[in-house]
């Protein structure tokens, strides 16, 4: 995700609604950006596996 976000200059973020992403980890911000861009989404059970 970080590579895609940086390659396309993506910076805007959405609220992270998937339960399996820890807000204290470095990837949390990258997930927020990817969610906003729409190229990832969570599963119906709110997991982002």
């Amino acid at each position: 995700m970080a590579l895609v976000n940086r390659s396309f200059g993506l910076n805007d973020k959405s609220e992270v609604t998937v339960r399996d992403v820890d807000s204290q980890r470095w990837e949390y911000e990258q997930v927020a950006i990817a969610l906003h861009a729409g190229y990832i989404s969570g599963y119906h059970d709110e997991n982002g596996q």
Side-chain angles (χ1 to χ4, degrees):
M1 280 180 266
L3 178 63
V4 172
N5 293 342
R6 291 181 187 134
S7 294
F8 289 98
L10 303 173
N11 295 307
D12 294 334
K13 301 172 193 153
S14 289
E15 179 182 354
V16 176
T17 56
V18 290
R19 296 182 296 167
D20 59 348
V21 179
D22 183 351
S23 64
Q24 301 302 310
R25 303 220 8 154
W26 70 268
E27 63 268 16
Y28 184 84
E29 181 177 18
Q30 299 304 316
V31 170
I33 294 169
L35 285 167
H36 183 80
Y39 71 87
I40 68 164
S41 62
Y43 290 102
H44 67 279
D45 65 355
E46 297 181 354
N47 283 310
Q49 302 170 353

